[in-house]
Amino acid sequence: MNILGISAYYHDSAAALLVDGKIAAAAHEERFTRKKHDSSFPVNAVEFCLGSSGLTLSRLDCVIFYDKPILKFERLLETYYAYAPKGFKSFLSAIPVWVKEKLFLRKLIGDELAQIEAFDKDKLKLLFSEHHLSHAASAFFPSPFDEAAILTVDGVGEWATASISHGKGSGITMLKEMRFPHSLGLLYSAFTYYLGFKVNSGEYKLMGLAPYGRHGSQEVKKYMDSIYTNIIEVKDDGSVWLNQDYFCYATALTMVDDRMWEGLFGFPRRLPEGELQQCHCDLALAIQQITEDVVIKMGKTAATLTGSKNLTMAGGVALNCVANTKLALSGVFDNIWVQPAAGDAGGALGAAYAAYYMYGEGQRTRGAFVNVADDAMQGAYLGPEFSSLDIERTARRYNAPYTYYEDFDTVAEKTAELLSLGNVIGWFQGKMEWGPRSLGNRSIIGDARDTEMQKRLNLKIKFRESFRPFAPSVLFEDLPEYFTTNTASPYMLFIADVVSSRTNPRPNNYNQLTIKEKLYHVRSDLPAITHLDYSARIQSVHKETNPRYHRLISKFKEKTSYGVIVNTSFNVRGEPIVCTPEDAYRCFMRTEMDCLVMGNFIFDKKAQRPWHEERDWKEEFGLD
């Protein structure tokens, strides 16, 4: 069976193609259009999926959409009715769009597909999956487990905001769900908004800010008490009740009532790009700790309902790698696997899986559990790849000097040498990653030992907030040498502490230091990737799924004795991760990267011609 899954019209549109149950291709629309979190119909992603597999729309057995618009419309109507006359402005804004377009999504999708190529609409089946079933299917079916509990947590789908299911063989049984307006994802997004970050994209910044909060302090305790007393009630099973007096998302075009929250927490909403103060960090820590507690409670309920020692996760909250790790360390489950595209983009893949196994009656066979990296995701390298000829064309277009090496081993050797000398390198290889993380094919890389690397990457390369941490890419076989874990983490979805033998103690006056002083205290012999709490968001690199990246880090280890480097996404702030050689070269020239390595080509910044653009990239890419 050939099944195309689609997510669109909210944020992070994407397409994924299954061929006889195997992922043939998957990509985010934003990577092609260069619009961050693009919500439009994924024309380019669909064309890529079909083209890379040599298929046409007429050869598909079905197309499936990742949620059910009629159920979502029902939720909107019932919500506006329940809160009337509040929300009238939002009602006038939302309902005409639904009546004109989204209620007739079957026709709209058909028309969009017809723009790609002609096909017989009467013969191509168009299916719709419930939102949280799409998430659940994306979590379970590609996982390494034949049987597992499934936990999905996000903002909201149709009605559900979280769900617990049981996956077994080729089926999924939905067991329990939490419903709108009560939502852990929307709660976290509300704090994301109040602390000055963008909803649906800035949540990971909030998670990164939390370690700057003062653990165990009276200030953090006060904030947590205020949240528990006024905003949220947490049940023993992990379900939450949110006091809607403090929220606006059900009826308005914003998340919260700023004045009520200012009265509750004692400071006004931080404006985007506003100066970060200690109160912001303490509140970030408070909501992060509450989120972790709720996720652990949900996990315990999932274990009780299913009796399983395996857990799979998806939904936007599953991208909170700190909460994932706290759940893993709780001992509730023996094994946890998280879908790398846990957000709405991953719903396209999950919908396709649901159609294959639960509609098309495909049969799933998985061997005994070996390793968390032993899944069906192919390392998440599922997007477009480009030939040497494509790279040469880009070089000619920009009249860009380069050095070409026939042997990749030489490329790895040269790049490792450049890294060891403190150079920042754009690394462009193979297939583009699926999910929000760069995993060594569309990455900016550097030396994790360099005390200036974190500052330089944030301020001179990424042009983003200085507090944001960077992830290590570490050889899987070397994990215990650097971190307090030996469990694979191929998708940057778990954290671990740097081993104590590599760390430096905090100064005696640590709590009196400013945020920037804390940031630039050298915490370990890997300062570029050691966060304030001595943790790191780990990517374990496996020879089986990414031999080139593994070879590069191995060469770096030969030169330095360190089998770990810094890895961040290949983009500037507000820009989607680069997709094509042209995207990579333009990003390289816009920043202070020293070298660009594409395939077997090495571009030295010092050899390039002066770079001029008619339009400043900061105007092209808005704040993220």
Side-chain angles (χ1 to χ4, degrees):
M1 291 184 72
N2 303 320
I3 300 174
L4 179 69
I6 292 173
S7 65
Y9 303 125
Y10 183 44
H11 60 90
D12 295 319
S13 294
L17 179 67
L18 291 186
V19 176
D20 295 329
K22 182 180 179 181
I23 308 172
H28 302 240
E29 183 68 6
E30 66 166 20
R31 310 289 167 83
F32 303 94
T33 62
R34 314 308 300 153
K35 297 176 183 177
K36 190 93 168 184
H37 303 298
D38 195 343
S39 63
S40 62
F41 187 84
V43 172
N44 298 281
V46 170
E47 288 181 334
F48 155 69
C49 288
L50 295 175
S52 66
S53 304
L55 294 175
T56 62
L57 290 171
S58 298
R59 292 180 59 192
L60 296 177
D61 292 279
C62 72
V63 174
I64 182 165
F65 193 71
Y66 82 127
D67 67 9
K68 293 193 171 184
I70 299 298
L71 286 180
K72 188 172 286 188
F73 185 62
E74 173 190 277
R75 188 247 301 167
L76 287 174
L77 287 181
E78 290 196 22
T79 301
Y80 284 129
Y81 178 76
Y83 286 92
K86 288 175 62 177
F88 186 66
K89 182 179 179 181
S90 176
F91 177 86
L92 290 178
S93 172
I95 295 303
V97 176
W98 275 89
V99 171
K100 183 180 178 182
E101 296 178 0
K102 294 185 180 181
L103 275 181
F104 303 99
L105 205 58
R106 181 177 296 276
K107 179 181 184 304
L108 182 61
I109 293 172
D111 291 344
E112 294 281 9
L113 291 173
Q115 295 296 313
I116 296 173
E117 63 183 61
F119 68 99
D120 189 337
K121 293 183 181 180
D122 294 329
K123 291 184 178 180
L124 182 61
K125 292 187 180 73
L126 178 57
L127 308 176
F128 295 84
S129 170
E130 287 195 21
H131 187 95
H132 274 259
L133 175 59
S134 296
H135 278 321
S138 79
F140 175 64
F141 288 127
S143 78
F145 313 127
D146 182 60
E147 174 274 332
I150 309 168
L151 177 62
T152 69
V153 192
D154 65 2
V156 61
E158 295 90 2
W159 278 104
T161 61
S163 74
I164 294 172
S165 308
H166 193 193
K168 199 168 184 179
S170 302
I172 291 175
T173 303
M174 304 290 284
L175 301 176
K176 193 169 188 174
E177 70 177 26
M178 190 162 67
R179 304 198 111 198
F180 184 86
H182 308 295
S183 166
L184 181 62
L186 289 174
L187 174 70
Y188 202 82
S189 290
F191 280 87
T192 299
Y193 163 83
Y194 197 72
L195 289 171
F197 305 123
K198 188 178 289 187
V199 172
N200 290 329
S201 67
E203 284 77 4
Y204 63 97
K205 296 185 187 181
L206 177 58
M207 182 180 67
L209 184 63
Y212 291 85
R214 292 169 289 192
H215 284 264
S217 69
Q218 286 300 311
E219 290 80 6
V220 173
K221 183 180 184 301
K222 180 186 71 174
Y223 288 143
M224 291 181 72
D225 288 345
S226 291
I227 294 168
Y228 279 127
T229 301
N230 298 284
I231 291 180
I232 183 174
E233 181 180 346
V234 181
K235 310 292 186 180
D236 289 342
D237 64 357
S239 60
V240 300
W241 178 87
L242 301 185
N243 182 352
Q244 291 302 302
D245 290 344
Y246 286 90
F247 297 93
C248 302
Y249 57 74
T251 58
L253 303 176
T254 188
M255 293 299 297
V256 304
D257 185 318
D258 291 3
R259 288 175 296 179
M260 289 189 70
W261 279 47
E262 182 176 349
L264 192 60
F265 297 120
F267 62 85
R269 176 188 168 229
R270 174 180 170 262
L271 297 177
E273 304 302 294
E275 181 183 356
L276 281 168
Q277 300 174 10
Q278 189 60 53
C279 59
H280 303 132
C281 305
D282 290 340
L283 185 59
L285 177 58
I287 191 57
Q288 175 64 32
Q289 290 182 338
I290 289 171
T291 299
E292 293 162 12
D293 292 343
V294 173
V295 168
I296 290 172
K297 282 183 167 66
M298 288 181 173
K300 289 178 178 177
T301 301
T304 299
L305 290 176
T306 63
S308 181
K309 297 304 289 182
N310 301 318
L311 175 69
T312 63
M313 298 175 67
V317 175
L319 292 172
N320 192 309
C321 56
V322 182
N324 295 346
T325 303
K326 294 290 178 65
L327 178 55
L329 293 175
S330 72
V332 176
F333 296 95
D334 292 341
N335 308 296
I336 299 179
W337 187 89
V338 183
Q339 164 57 234
D344 276 9
L349 178 62
Y353 267 123
Y356 182 73
Y357 287 114
M358 303 174 74
Y359 175 80
E361 299 182 351
Q363 293 301 305
R364 181 174 181 265
T365 56
R366 301 292 293 167
F369 172 74
V370 177
N371 192 291
V372 172
D374 181 31
D375 56 38
M377 293 300 300
Q378 304 163 48
Y381 306 111
L382 301 169
E385 62 180 329
F386 299 87
S387 67
S388 292
L389 182 57
D390 293 320
I391 298 169
E392 282 188 82
R393 287 195 188 105
T394 296
R396 286 199 298 270
R397 183 176 301 121
Y398 291 102
N399 198 19
Y402 61 81
T403 303
Y404 176 80
Y405 298 93
E406 290 287 345
D407 179 33
F408 178 75
D409 221 44
T410 304
V411 175
E413 182 85 28
K414 297 282 187 184
T415 305
E417 177 70 19
L418 290 166
L419 287 172
S420 70
L421 295 173
N423 290 284
V424 177
I425 295 171
W427 181 255
F428 182 102
Q429 304 289 331
K431 293 185 176 182
M432 183 179 68
E433 296 89 341
W434 168 248
R437 310 290 182 227
S438 288
L439 300 171
N441 278 8
R442 302 290 187 276
S443 292
I444 299 172
I445 55 178
D447 187 347
R449 304 170 302 160
D450 191 330
T451 57
E452 294 296 312
M453 185 59 65
Q454 198 254 10
K455 181 190 293 185
R456 186 180 171 204
L457 284 172
N458 269 329
L459 301 181
K460 301 294 186 180
I461 311 296
K462 303 283 284 189
F463 301 103
R464 68 186 198 183
E465 302 94 338
S466 60
F467 74 86
R468 288 168 59 181
F470 290 98
S473 291
V474 56
L475 299 175
F476 171 59
E477 54 271 28
D478 288 357
L479 262 176
E481 290 186 31
Y482 306 100
F483 305 103
T484 56
T485 184
N486 59 3
T487 303
S489 177
Y491 306 122
M492 289 188 192
L493 289 167
F494 294 89
I495 66 168
D497 289 338
V498 176
V499 294
S500 58
S501 61
R502 295 183 176 276
T503 62
N504 303 319
R506 292 187 176 102
N508 292 330
N509 65 335
Y510 182 77
N511 283 333
Q512 282 70 53
L513 298 179
T514 66
I515 294 172
K516 285 191 176 180
E517 287 171 335
K518 289 179 182 178
L519 173 62
Y520 296 126
H521 168 62
V522 178
R523 290 175 286 281
S524 77
D525 66 343
L526 298 168
I529 57 87
T530 305
H531 205 14
L532 252 68
D533 54 3
Y534 292 92
S535 70
R537 187 184 69 198
I538 294 169
Q539 180 202 1
S540 55
V541 179
H542 302 255
K543 188 175 183 179
E544 297 79 7
T545 53
N546 198 332
R548 285 196 162 210
Y549 200 39
H550 189 278
R551 186 63 177 149
L552 167 65
I553 302 173
S554 297
K555 286 289 187 182
F556 183 77
K557 182 182 178 182
E558 290 175 12
K559 293 183 180 296
T560 65
S561 79
Y562 281 70
V564 57
I565 61 174
V566 180
N567 173 18
T568 187
S569 56
F570 198 152
N571 60 345
V572 293
R573 66 173 305 183
E575 178 190 19
I577 294 169
V578 300
C579 176
T580 67
E582 182 168 357
D583 296 337
Y585 186 78
R586 289 168 64 85
C587 186
F588 166 61
M589 294 302 295
R590 286 167 167 165
T591 69
E592 293 186 22
M593 272 184 268
D594 300 295
C595 297
L596 170 63
V597 181
M598 290 199 285
N600 287 14
F601 299 74
I602 298 181
F603 298 77
D604 186 337
K605 177 64 70 62
K606 293 189 295 290
Q608 305 306 305
R609 285 155 179 78
W611 180 255
H612 299 290
E613 292 185 283
E614 291 183 4
R615 184 182 178 191
D616 188 343
W617 66 264
K618 294 176 184 177
E619 297 177 11
E620 181 180 350
F621 303 119
L623 298 177
D624 60 359

